[in-house]
Amino acid sequence: MSNFIDAIKERARADKKTIVLPESMDRRTLEAAEKILKEDIANLIIIGTPEEIEENGKGLDISGATIINPFTYEKTEEYLNLFVELRKSKGLTYEEAKKTALGDYMYYACLMVKAGDADGVVSGACHSTANTLRPSLQIIKTKPGVKLVSAFFVMVVPNCEYGDNGTFIFADSGLEQNPDPEKLAAIAACSADSFELLTQHKAIVAMLSHSTMGSAKHADVDKVVEATRICKEQNPDLAVDGELQLDAAIVPSVGESKAPGSPVAGKANVLVFPDLDAGNIGYKLVQRLAKAEAYGPITQGIAMPVNDLSRGCSADDIVGVCAITCVQAQAKN
């Protein structure tokens, strides 16, 4: 396990937050819960009926968690009324709210956070990204002043001299399909903030392309050039540059020859991909071929931390994402 995640766990322990795990129907969630409680990383709320917990938690000690059965919990009524209030402009009725929140625990989890009874949610082991994020956007909503919600992976590459001793943020690798220049600039700025929060080191942001500083001409390159311009204009203190090919972004000798004088080339630790195809393929290549730890997709831009998991995640991945969610929640307070 990397120093990165050890440091995150240490920070999580120092100021424990309450995280909701809605996927009691997935054994990996309960295996992760046992580890989180044992390592004292967070206070946990697990949503599920006694039957679900019994069936999926066989042989696991999750006695330290608060188990909430939404069908009998005394605050369910309060949460449902809150849901109706939040969605009244969309015409949500009490009956629909009840059917939705009790039929999909992710909605229930988001209502708990919105009501102030928890600090964050981690889900996605058996739900798609859309099914994890839709409830959070409907209930918790975006952070004030944030243009869009995006997603990143923290990549920790073993025995790697590039980036921040092998630690990188890859964005957007989980959510925004084909961002325009304004959105790409916003993703870069948000990802820099996330990098600095999680690593406590300075972010150096590369706007990636198949071109370096005009070496290729194409509308896709123009998009990245324009995004870089917007990002620099809006964030004058941020070390950001582009467009850069991947090797020019992270390998000092290549950066020096392809983009001499760039403050970022050869030193980048935040890699902003031009679209979701590139970002998703990129993180999976590094995860599988370099045997990197991949934590995410971590979301940024929601008013309270709600994090998605890859459906291929392990229990250890869930533990790591829970620890990251705690650190994000600490920053909110």
Side-chain angles (χ1 to χ4, degrees):
M1 196 52 74
S2 63
N3 293 340
F4 166 77
I5 208 68
D6 287 342
I8 290 283
K9 287 177 177 179
E10 203 51 58
R11 288 164 68 190
R13 277 184 209 108
D15 175 15
K16 271 167 70 182
K17 296 295 171 198
T18 300
I19 304 299
V20 191
L21 299 175
E23 293 180 309
S24 57
M25 67 296 292
D26 191 296
R27 184 165 172 91
R28 289 169 298 173
T29 299
L30 301 182
E31 288 170 357
E34 182 180 54
K35 293 181 183 201
I36 290 161
L37 295 165
K38 197 172 172 182
E39 294 186 49
D40 200 30
I41 293 166
N43 302 316
L44 291 183
I45 294 172
I46 301 172
I47 301 175
T49 62
E51 296 75 23
E52 285 166 328
I53 303 292
E54 171 69 24
E55 186 187 336
N56 297 306
K58 280 193 175 71
L60 299 173
D61 178 9
I62 51 169
S63 54
T66 302
I67 309 289
I68 286 182
N69 178 355
F71 296 92
T72 58
Y73 187 52
E74 67 265 14
K75 291 186 90 169
T76 294
E77 194 68 17
E78 184 189 312
Y79 298 149
L80 296 178
N81 289 328
L82 171 63
F83 195 8
V84 172
E85 179 59 31
L86 289 168
R87 302 292 290 168
K88 67 179 177 200
S89 67
K90 298 281 187 278
L92 184 74
T93 66
Y94 179 83
E95 282 314 310
E96 287 166 343
K98 186 172 180 178
K99 189 178 169 194
T100 302
L102 298 184
D104 182 347
Y105 296 164
M106 185 61 195
Y107 278 92
Y108 196 94
C110 290
L111 289 164
M112 293 192 80
V113 171
K114 186 71 174 179
D117 293 334
D119 301 300
V121 184
V122 174
S123 178
C126 54
H127 285 83
S128 68
T129 294
N131 288 347
T132 297
L133 291 178
R134 191 181 305 109
S136 59
L137 293 173
Q138 287 182 9
I139 294 165
I140 301 171
K141 304 197 169 28
T142 51
K143 206 191 287 183
V146 164
K147 293 187 182 69
L148 85 164
V149 173
S150 57
F152 63 87
F153 276 79
V154 178
M155 304 299 295
V156 184
V157 187
N159 313 315
C160 174
E161 72 270 34
Y162 304 129
D164 186 32
N165 291 321
T167 300
F168 295 88
I169 272 182
F170 284 20
D172 180 323
S173 327
L175 200 56
E176 191 62 42
Q177 183 67 50
N178 193 5
D180 62 24
E182 285 78 13
K183 286 182 173 178
L184 206 53
I187 289 166
C190 273
S191 300
D193 287 345
S194 292
F195 183 87
E196 292 183 355
L197 169 67
L198 295 175
T199 67
Q200 299 181 309
H201 294 166
K202 182 174 156 52
I204 304 171
V205 184
M207 308 296 277
L208 298 181
S209 171
H210 69 275
S211 166
T212 296
M213 302 300 177
S215 66
K217 296 277 179 269
H218 191 274
D220 289 350
V221 178
D222 298 341
K223 175 176 96 165
V224 178
V225 172
E226 177 62 5
T228 306
R229 185 192 68 73
I230 294 168
C231 192
K232 284 179 174 175
E233 194 175 275
Q234 292 175 346
N235 307 276
D237 299 330
L238 181 60
V240 56
D241 209 1
E243 85 288 14
L244 292 166
Q245 287 161 298
L246 187 277
D247 54 355
I250 66 170
V251 181
S253 59
V254 181
E256 189 52 48
S257 71
K258 287 189 175 180
S262 165
V264 168
K267 300 192 278 285
N269 48 34
V270 176
L271 304 181
V272 178
F273 290 83
D275 59 37
L276 188 55
D277 286 337
N280 194 275
I281 292 164
Y283 103 75
K284 287 185 173 167
L285 271 172
V286 174
Q287 180 186 25
R288 300 299 175 181
L289 300 187
K291 300 190 169 31
E293 293 165 32
Y295 297 102
I298 308 292
T299 56
Q300 48 191 6
I302 300 175
M304 294 291 282
V306 174
N307 285 318
D308 189 15
L309 297 159
S310 165
R311 276 176 284 180
C313 67
S314 66
D316 282 333
D317 294 335
I318 301 174
V319 175
V321 171
C322 278
I324 289 170
T325 308
C326 289
V327 171
Q328 288 180 310
Q330 289 170 356
K332 294 272 181 269
N333 301 350

